[in-house]
Amino acid sequence: MSVRTYRLKKSGNLRLSEHFTVREFRCRDGSDTVLIDDRLVTLLENIRERFGKPVRINSAYRTAKYNARIGGVSNSYHVKGMAADIVVQDISPKRVAQYAETLNCGGIGWYEHKKFVHIDTRPKRVCWKDSGSNVRKTFSECPYAEPSHTLQFGDAGAAWIQWHLKKCGAKITIDGKFGAVTKAAVVVFQKAHGLTPDGVVGEMTRLMLKREVV
Ligand SMILES: [Zn+2]
């Protein structure tokens, strides 16, 4: 944890990194106290650097009172100084969310319609789209074609399956070969999803893999 407490009146113009000052993280209710996690600043700086465009912070620190007033969830990371809702000039929220996924972010919320991205520094990765209840394993798209027929041990063309299993947490290499490691990961996935654990990937297993990731 590296959340620091700043005073807006005294340190509003204090530069936290090349592109961000304390003021940008302030609570919009005018509170003098501003909590900011160092790691959050680093993430924003990474995003700034990647796209080479200004990053506007719509909302970062919120006092509990202000958070309640605007209808934020009570355990919001904004209240802890660990979250920011951002807009990167000229860059779609989707691209920002996809890039955030490659960084050391905890929570990443892609708000497609409201056109911003929420990022926070919670310990575990959680991705969601538009609403916190709409959890996804990833925002990236599978670069491999979905197989149109059943695949099993010994077959080639398993990259699509491996990519999905990996997004579900399996420790496998995407090499396209349906070997023993892939089969074992399929069985684990099938057991966890109430499917017949035969290690064979047919239509039902593909459907569940898709549902889990997207
Ligand atoms: Zn947020």
Side-chain angles (χ1 to χ4, degrees), residues 1 7 17 22 61 74 108 122 142 148 152-153 164 167 171 181 187 209:
M1 292 286 283
R7 299 288 161 204
S17 66
V22 168
Y61 174 61
S74 60
I108 308 169
R122 77 184 73 187
C142 182
S148 52
Q152 55 191 305
F153 180 78
H164 281 75
K167 291 294 177 190
K171 290 189 170 53
V181 178
V187 170
L209 280 168

Side-chain angles (χ1 to χ4, degrees), residues 8-46:
L8 184 61
K9 283 195 199 93
K10 191 174 156 230
S11 317
N13 295 325
L14 179 71
R15 205 159 271 287
L16 298 162
S17 66
E18 196 183 339
H19 297 97
F20 298 95
T21 59
V22 168
R23 187 175 307 282
E24 293 171 87
F25 291 80
R26 76 191 184 281
C27 181
R28 270 36 179 183
D29 70 356
S31 136
D32 190 45
T33 301
V34 188
L35 301 185
I36 308 170
D37 187 345
D38 289 343
R39 294 170 305 164
L40 184 63
V41 179
T42 304
L43 290 172
L44 296 187
E45 205 45 68
N46 286 335

Side-chain angles (χ1 to χ4, degrees), residues 62 78 85 118:
R62 296 173 191 163
H78 286 280
D85 295 340
H118 163 108

